[in-house]
Amino acid sequence: MKRPQTRRQYLQGSALAGLMGLAGCLSAGNSGQAVGGDPQVSDTTASTEPLEDWLADANGYDGSTRRYSQRDRPTVFVGESIDGELAFAPPVIEVPPQTTVRWDWTGHGGQHNVVALDGTFDSGRTNAQPGTGYHFFFDEPGEYRYVSEPHRDDGIKGVVIVREPPSTGN
């Protein structure tokens, strides 16, 4: 008997099929010119390397994880200045499943967006306006690595770790 797919498995499979179709379209008739101006975010290497290695060059990352409980309203600031570098603040958060995480733009550092490497979430077009917000509801446990596309190579990246809280033993 075949197990039913989870929402995440379905989305990953759909994203992979779409990328394969797009790759076929781009390779057919591509004369060596760049197509589109946006960087490609899907990065399977980054999602398979150890988390600490991937975070080694993340601006503002000091090895700590900000943990939130079910009652908290986690917010990540986009374009925060930490030690003179733009970053997500905090760069690494841990939340329980069934949590909505919010990203708030500071207005620093020009255009930003928030895009998961695995395609799980995407805030859309870049924006530089302070007060801009984006939120995503995390229902599945896992590690969700994300970047600001225009500043990915500059170290603006973060992770949302979705993990069941420890049992109280009651």
Side-chain angles (χ1 to χ4, degrees), residues 47-158:
S47 61
T48 59
E49 73 180 302
L51 185 59
E52 287 297 318
D53 292 348
W54 189 74
L55 288 168
D57 63 347
N59 296 346
Y61 180 62
D62 62 4
S64 64
T65 299
R66 171 70 199 228
R67 289 178 174 79
Y68 294 90
S69 73
Q70 197 78 38
R71 297 178 308 275
D72 296 324
R73 293 184 172 186
T75 299
V76 177
F77 294 97
V78 179
E80 187 71 23
S81 180
I82 300 176
D83 297 328
E85 297 182 301
L86 295 174
F88 290 116
V92 181
I93 66 172
E94 182 178 312
V95 300
Q98 308 299 309
T99 299
T100 298
V101 173
R102 180 173 173 83
W103 286 266
D104 282 339
W105 274 242
T106 63
H108 302 292
Q111 301 284 322
H112 296 284
N113 62 356
V114 177
V115 180
L117 297 181
D118 66 1
T120 304
F121 56 89
D122 184 338
S123 66
R125 294 179 10 183
T126 60
N127 190 317
Q129 295 298 314
T132 297
Y134 170 72
H135 63 273
F136 185 80
F137 180 77
F138 290 91
D139 57 350
E140 296 280 334
E143 282 181 5
Y144 299 87
R145 301 173 190 204
Y146 63 93
V147 297
S148 172
E149 289 177 309
H151 304 284
R152 178 185 188 160
D153 293 336
D154 299 329
I156 300 184
K157 52 186 174 178

